[in-house]
Amino acid sequence: MTVRGTRVDVRTADGTADAYLAHPDDDRAHPGVILYMDAFGLRPHLERMADRLAAAGYTVLVPNAYYRNGRAPVVELPEPIDPESDDTLFDRLGPLLATLTPEATERDADAYLRWLADSPLVQDGPVGLTGYCRGALLALRTAASHPDRIALAAGFHGGNLATERPDSPHLGAGRITAELYFGHADQDESLPPEQIDRLAAALTAAGVRYRAEVYAGALHGYTQADTVRYDAAADERHWEALLGLLKRVLPA
């Protein structure tokens, strides 16, 4: 299927978020998907991921979650991305990540979902979410804050999903009606086993339909082909899980 990718602007309560939009090049409406970026931001690799989803029959919006600090790319990144070779990288990313508060995430989700609802390229009805690294956290928060608009949410190598903080995203489990999937990295300091267990307990207690798998041998960031932590086998497993969930819950 031929895919068209364009840059779009989304008006939010806090300004204008630049975003990448990918969709089948057939002038028809398709189910909508929001792809939430990882900590490294909107960049060509995420655009290629959106293109692959669009080729499966979806209209995919990839917002620049750091838009409050400028249009993408907000941070200059090395090639390949290797945080261990640049000890200043997370010093630069830290203030950007700090802008993604629960309140800001909910306001932004309002805008992204409204934009999709108004687009002639998107079918009426609920949408799907997929998120990577910090994007998995954003997807979990959005599923809780907009239960009537989200059919499914998937998160891959997400971090800090079930902390002991009073605003931890797992505490919103009782509001979630979407079906969830998580592909955890088993070598991930940002999501240790106790958080995996805490997340599972919260979702189970809330009656959420979900499946969570630990990808053996996979590092945090295993889906990101422009980083040194990429794992081709784990990435392909992620695509099988994500596309399978989309096909079943939100068929194109």
Side-chain angles (χ1 to χ4, degrees):
M1 180 181 293
T2 304
V3 168
R4 179 181 298 177
T6 58
R7 293 281 183 169
V8 299
D9 286 341
V10 179
R11 292 293 302 273
T12 76
D14 298 338
T16 300
D18 54 307
Y20 179 75
L21 183 74
H23 58 91
D25 192 13
D26 58 7
D27 296 320
R28 293 174 47 228
H30 295 269
V33 173
I34 297 173
L35 191 159
Y36 279 123
M37 66 186 213
D38 64 356
F40 300 127
L42 177 56
R43 59 194 191 281
H45 172 64
L46 294 184
E47 295 177 3
R48 290 190 291 271
M49 294 180 75
D51 289 347
R52 183 164 176 175
L53 286 173
Y58 297 90
T59 296
V60 186
L61 183 71
V62 192
N64 167 25
Y66 297 151
Y67 71 88
R68 294 171 183 82
N69 296 87
R71 300 179 74 86
V74 179
V75 173
E76 184 176 350
L77 298 168
E79 295 183 12
I81 301 171
D82 181 3
E84 295 182 0
S85 69
D86 182 357
D87 56 11
T88 71
L89 181 55
F90 277 103
D91 290 338
R92 289 178 281 137
L93 291 173
L96 303 178
L97 290 166
T99 67
L100 306 181
T101 64
E103 297 78 14
T105 299
E106 183 170 350
R107 292 195 302 272
D108 289 347
D110 286 338
Y112 305 151
L113 292 167
R114 184 171 58 251
W115 192 93
L116 289 173
D118 290 342
S119 172
L121 296 172
V122 180
Q123 288 181 359
D124 293 339
V127 307
L129 308 173
T130 185
Y132 303 86
C133 179
R134 179 55 65 95
L137 185 152
L138 300 181
L140 184 56
R141 289 203 191 282
T142 300
S145 64
H146 296 77
D148 60 325
R149 294 286 292 120
I150 307 303
L152 65 94
F156 299 91
H157 49 82
N160 299 311
L161 300 180
T163 70
E164 295 182 326
R165 291 175 54 90
D167 62 353
S168 177
H170 80 286
L171 297 176
R175 300 190 298 275
I176 294 174
T177 59
E179 184 169 344
L180 308 184
Y181 175 87
F182 295 97
H184 303 309
D186 75 343
Q187 301 181 46
D188 192 344
E189 294 181 354
S190 68
L191 197 76
E194 58 267 24
Q195 284 201 42
I196 293 176
D197 292 343
R198 190 179 295 131
L199 175 62
L203 296 174
T204 299
V208 177
R209 294 163 298 161
Y210 79 97
R211 183 160 61 102
E213 300 180 305
V214 176
Y215 287 26
L219 299 172
H220 180 83
Y222 62 79
T223 63
Q224 303 301 298
D226 58 352
T227 78
V228 297
R229 296 179 177 177
Y230 179 66
D231 184 318
D235 181 34
E236 196 54 37
R237 180 178 175 184
H238 131 264
W239 280 112
E240 291 175 2
L242 176 58
L243 292 172
L245 180 65
L246 283 165
K247 182 178 180 180
R248 182 168 52 80
V249 180
L250 198 66

